[in-house]
Amino acid sequence: MAVKDAVDEAFRTEWGRVVATLIRVTGDWDLAEECASEAFASALATWPRDGVPRRPGAWLTTVARNRALDRVRSAAAESNRLRGLAPIVSEEQECAQPDDAVPDDAVPDDRLRLMFTCCHPALPLEAQVALTLRTLAGLTTPEIARAFLVPEATMAQRLVRAKRKIRNAGIPYRVPPAELLPERVAGVLGVLYLLFNKGYSRGELSTEAVRLARVLVALMPEEPEAGGLLALMLFHESRRATRVDAAGDLVTLADQDRTRWDRAMIDEAVAVLDTAFDHARPGPYQLQAAIAGCHATAVDAKSTDWQRIADLYALVARVSPSPVVELNRAVAVAEVDGPAAGLELVEALRDSLAGYHLLHATRADLLRRLNRLPEANAAYEEALALAPTEAERRFLTRRVDGLWD
């Protein structure tokens, strides 16, 4: 394995553990992230010369903790914190041990433990999710901002405020005991959901999100939303092989080869959702899973139960309202009542989703179906300007070119 590949692999697997260790040691989130980054930069500089260490995670943690120790020693105002520093781990030690006060079986997976640790109920839910994605998954502030559909500056401020609150309130960074896990589960579910969505461009993230969702369901089988999220992920993951063609171009749901969908995964998702679904008060993940199930179990695109999908989106909008949910409902309404009905709903969202490329792409498609081609062309151009990936830009370009065929 090339050194750069080894560092990349270490970043994917060890970043969260290294940062979490430094936060526990120093209590300073910014210092932890800075020293972790420096450790990975040092790996890129020294591993080509010295070779990849036998235990990369322990090596990175040792370097990062040494950097943190040096920083604290250099600041007289930090002398009290210095006296509380834990000993530096050696290369033979584990790079991230769980909190000794919490039995290992409270949360049986190290990465899931870290997620429960980050999702402290003293923080707003969005701050819990954003800070966990930044700290454990190594997502950048722009990536997190796109996931939340907010400007980068807004997300940067949220992260700063969250870290400041943790520091000022003296919120401890440790795994909660089993009886306190339920109050943190909403944040953990939010992290897993966004990690999975990020996996559309970074496949290893979706695989890891599914794995962690399975662990969470086994840990909390009485939590309907955990089962709902796992089912949602499985329905979507079952179609991964058909989302792009051999050239890497996007393939729409209607055009995907359903014979290549993973039927075993779909059957598992159906079973998980049947077990988890709370018919009295279904949550948003359960409802979204039911929507995904409508697509996954339809024998072909024409057989899709769009009326049920529209009704389910109406329920999602009731329990978890958002402009994106309304946009998805508009797509379903367009299939049931025609493109004019869908377009009317989309037009009402143009201010709230002005920077969201799928709003403009959806509007363009509905205008195309209404044969309002100049307006459709303009909307496609707006979507093109905002599309975050090259594959999406190629797809939209083909749509524009096809308007005049």
Side-chain angles (χ1 to χ4, degrees):
M1 179 187 292
V3 170
K4 186 179 186 305
D5 292 337
V7 175
D8 289 343
E9 176 64 20
F11 182 85
R12 287 192 293 270
T13 59
E14 303 295 343
W15 170 266
R17 293 184 181 92
V18 174
V19 173
T21 298
L22 295 185
I23 293 171
R24 283 198 295 269
V25 167
T26 68
D28 189 321
W29 290 69
D30 290 327
L31 179 63
E33 290 184 349
E34 289 172 12
C35 292
S37 295
E38 291 176 10
F40 279 92
S42 180
L44 281 173
T46 60
W47 290 5
R49 181 192 67 219
D50 301 337
V52 178
R54 184 169 61 86
R55 300 171 69 86
W59 187 98
L60 290 162
T61 303
T62 298
V63 172
R65 292 181 84 163
N66 281 337
R67 296 290 176 88
L69 183 60
D70 289 341
R71 296 279 192 91
V72 174
R73 281 173 172 159
S74 68
E78 298 293 333
S79 58
N80 289 332
R81 186 183 300 173
L82 175 60
R83 286 195 292 270
L85 285 176
I88 297 171
V89 297
S90 73
E91 196 167 320
E92 299 302 316
Q93 293 176 302
E94 292 296 334
C95 63
Q97 296 292 338
D99 193 317
D100 292 338
V102 181
D104 286 351
D105 58 359
V107 183
D109 181 271
D110 184 54
R111 182 160 289 187
L112 200 60
R113 279 197 293 273
L114 295 175
M115 288 183 180
F116 273 105
T117 300
C118 282
C119 292
H120 197 285
L123 299 174
L125 181 59
E126 283 193 353
Q128 294 176 34
V129 174
L131 199 57
T132 306
L133 290 171
R134 180 74 183 90
T135 303
L136 299 186
L139 297 190
T140 65
T141 300
E143 286 178 314
I144 300 170
R146 285 195 294 271
F148 281 91
L149 301 180
V150 299
E152 181 181 342
T154 300
M155 181 52 63
Q157 281 298 109
R158 288 181 185 175
L159 291 169
V160 168
R161 285 196 296 269
K163 293 174 184 178
R164 184 182 300 134
K165 182 170 184 177
I166 289 171
R167 182 177 63 252
N168 293 344
I171 296 173
Y173 187 89
R174 59 171 177 260
V175 185
E179 66 271 15
L180 296 183
L181 296 182
E183 68 182 8
R184 303 193 182 199
V185 73
V188 172
L189 290 172
V191 171
L192 293 178
Y193 178 67
L194 290 178
L195 270 184
F196 182 81
N197 287 343
K198 185 63 182 171
Y200 278 85
S201 57
R202 285 171 55 183
E204 78 280 357
L205 291 181
S206 61
T207 300
E208 178 67 356
V210 171
R211 184 189 72 80
L212 291 171
R214 293 185 193 277
V215 176
L216 185 60
V217 169
L219 176 68
M220 309 181 76
E222 76 291 346
E223 175 52 60
E225 282 289 79
L229 179 58
L230 175 57
L232 175 62
M233 290 178 177
L234 291 172
F235 279 130
H236 284 301
E237 192 69 3
S238 70
R239 300 190 287 105
R240 172 173 290 279
T242 63
R243 289 200 193 106
V244 297
D245 61 19
D249 289 328
L250 297 181
V251 180
T252 64
L253 177 60
D255 293 330
Q256 289 173 13
D257 180 358
R258 296 178 184 232
T259 65
R260 296 177 58 209
W261 289 1
D262 188 329
R263 289 294 159 187
M265 193 173 287
I266 292 172
D267 291 342
E268 181 188 358
V270 170
V272 169
L273 186 58
D274 284 346
T275 300
F277 201 84
D278 181 352
H279 290 275
R281 293 187 63 185
Y285 294 121
Q286 298 163 68
L287 293 170
Q288 290 181 69
I291 292 167
C294 288
H295 292 295
T297 57
V299 295
D300 53 41
K302 292 181 179 178
S303 303
T304 304
D305 190 346
W306 284 107
Q307 183 62 66
R308 174 163 170 73
I309 291 173
D311 293 341
L312 286 168
Y313 270 124
L315 288 175
V316 178
R318 195 176 306 162
V319 301
S320 184
S322 79
V324 173
V325 169
E326 290 296 339
L327 178 63
N328 291 329
R329 185 171 76 88
V331 172
V333 167
E335 295 296 329
V336 176
D337 298 326
L343 182 61
E344 182 178 354
L345 297 175
V346 169
E347 295 289 7
L349 301 171
R350 290 181 67 181
D351 289 340
S352 56
L353 292 176
Y356 187 42
H357 72 289
L358 292 180
L359 177 282
H360 302 286
T362 301
R363 181 170 175 269
D365 184 64
L366 295 174
L367 289 165
R368 177 188 59 81
R369 290 164 60 183
L370 291 167
N371 205 35
R372 293 163 58 178
L373 301 187
E375 293 172 89
N377 187 86
Y380 276 129
E381 293 293 345
E382 288 185 88
L384 264 168
L386 295 167
T389 69
E390 184 58 36
E392 287 173 292
R393 286 189 286 272
R394 290 198 304 270
F395 174 82
L396 292 167
T397 298
R398 292 196 303 274
R399 288 290 194 178
V400 171
D401 293 342
L403 282 176
W404 316 110
D405 289 345

